[in-house]
Every structure is written in structure tokens, then in C-alpha cells.
Amino acid sequence: MSNLPPAILIIGAGHMQREHIRWAHSLGLATIVTDFRDDAPAIEMADEYYQISGSDEEALSALASQLNKKFNLIGAYSGSDFGLAAVAKIHRQLRLPGCPPEAVSLSLNKSAAKKIWLSLGLPTPKMALWKEAPAKPDLLKLTYPIIIKPLDACGSQGVTSVSTPDGVADAVTLAKQYGEQVLMEEYFDGYGIDTIGIMWQGRFIPCGIGDRYFSKPPYHFPTHGFGPSA
């Protein structure tokens, strides 16, 4: 048993992290937060703050090693996809339970995940990987509308629906701001279904299904949702 005070590293210090910090404090944990902004709203609630981006895995891993000499670091937490890779790396580094980095990488890589779904016979929209916008003759062969998105970004960043070939170049340019490769998919109109659950000691505990709604085309970012599903 460590005599050091227990602590948790929380990646992100936005409004939503305020509740995470409150919960951690109620459990007697010191809270260390990171954010790329030095004016993030939850910083003032935390015990310590470090200006590090949630996608900077190396810097966050180094910070975790440093903090583990001062605290009994029980884990790292990220409330968004941006910090999940760093969380997995930190947990493996400190030999803490958590998702393997390989599983997290797979879940964030849309193309790799879709290939597994296809190998299992699961229905999934048709796709193509692009590094640049295809030539006009190839674009004319596509059935519109289509969705263009970064391969491995999250949070609906850089996602655009395109209804004609003329809009493809701008959509690809936007998507490439968030990643080198671009994924093109068939477009389906509708709302999202979230399957909610907790992994506990290798067992999945289902916690319900929720509906998620998105903004109107051409951008598709989540605006609201509710559970249980309708």
C-alpha cells in the first residue's frame, strides 16, 4: 500500500470536467487536470493544472510518471475521444487496469474498424480512403450525397456531407485539417443510436441505449440527445 495521497489525472478542463472534479474530490482524490487552454473553466477547481493537449500522448505519459512519484496515481480519465489514447498508454505504463492501447487505436481508426465489421458480415456503409480529392471523372461515378470525414479524428470534427462533385474538394480540404487521410462513405439520413455501458473487470455491463441528434447538413455535429431511446 502506498502512503502517498491518492490522485487522478483528468485530461481536459472544460465545463463538463467540473463534475468529474467534484466526484473525484468527494472520493478523497487529489485532481490534476490538463488542457491546451490556460483559461479552461475547470482549472480553478483542480489541485494542479498542466497546459498539455489531450492528443499529446508523450507529454501526458511523462507527466503521469512525474505525478506518480508525488501521488498514488490511481488512473487517468478523459471524457472525450481526444484523450483516450493517452489514457490507455498511461494505464499500461503504470500497470493499471484499462483498455489496451491497441483496442483504443482500433476504435478510433474508422477504416480499420469497418474492415473488421465487414469480415464479420456486419452491414456498414461503403467507403473509400483518399489522400487527395479524386479526379473529376472519378467523382462523377459516385452516388450523392456522400459523407467526407477525417480517418482518425473525433467529435464530428471536419465532417461534411456533399451533394455534388463540386463540393468534394472543399470537404477534403476541411477533413485534412484533422488528419492526413480522408474517409468517404455512403450518406444515410437519420439520428444516431448510442449503446451505453461500463467495462468492469473484463465484463461488459449494459447501461441502456440513447438517441443522439445532429446539426443540419452540410456539417454534422451532435446537438442533443436523450435516453432511453425512443
Side-chain angles (χ1 to χ4, degrees), residues 61-86:
S61 296
L63 174 63
S65 294
Q66 173 188 333
L67 292 172
N68 206 39
K69 297 174 183 177
K70 179 179 178 181
F71 299 97
N72 173 23
L73 198 62
I74 67 162
Y77 175 77
S78 175
S80 71
D81 294 349
F82 303 106
L84 294 182

Side-chain angles (χ1 to χ4, degrees), residues 4 6 23 37 54-55 73 99 108 112 161 187 189 210:
L4 298 174
W23 294 335
R37 303 165 295 169
S55 59
L73 198 62
C99 294
L108 295 176
S161 60
Y187 175 80
D189 189 28

Side-chain angles (χ1 to χ4, degrees), residues 74-77 86-99:
I74 67 162
Y77 175 77
V87 168
K89 186 171 184 176
I90 289 168
H91 280 217
R92 173 168 286 180
Q93 171 183 310
L94 300 182
R95 299 183 179 181
L96 296 170
C99 294

Side-chain angles (χ1 to χ4, degrees), residues 57-143:
E57 297 176 40
E58 296 302 321
L60 289 166
S61 296
L63 174 63
S65 294
Q66 173 188 333
L67 292 172
N68 206 39
K69 297 174 183 177
K70 179 179 178 181
F71 299 97
N72 173 23
L73 198 62
I74 67 162
Y77 175 77
S78 175
S80 71
D81 294 349
F82 303 106
L84 294 182
V87 168
K89 186 171 184 176
I90 289 168
H91 280 217
R92 173 168 286 180
Q93 171 183 310
L94 300 182
R95 299 183 179 181
L96 296 170
C99 294
E102 297 82 6
V104 172
S105 177
L106 176 61
S107 71
L108 295 176
N109 185 306
K110 302 174 181 67
S111 176
K114 286 170 75 71
K115 287 176 181 177
I116 289 182
W117 300 339
L118 289 169
S119 72
L120 297 172
L122 299 174
T124 183
K126 295 177 183 177
M127 69 166 193
L129 275 179
W130 296 341
K131 287 193 174 180
E132 303 292 342
K136 188 69 173 284
D138 294 324
L139 293 178
L140 292 173
K141 297 176 184 177
L142 299 176
T143 300

Side-chain angles (χ1 to χ4, degrees), residues 142-185:
L142 299 176
T143 300
Y144 294 85
I146 58 174
I147 285 281
I148 295 176
K149 63 180 72 171
L151 174 63
D152 53 3
C154 53
S156 297
Q157 292 185 118
V159 177
T160 312
S161 60
V162 178
S163 56
T164 68
D166 294 336
V168 170
D170 287 343
V172 169
T173 298
L174 176 62
K176 290 191 69 176
Q177 294 179 20
Y178 301 94
E180 292 184 3
Q181 284 192 296
V182 174
L183 185 69
M184 183 280 292
E185 290 183 310

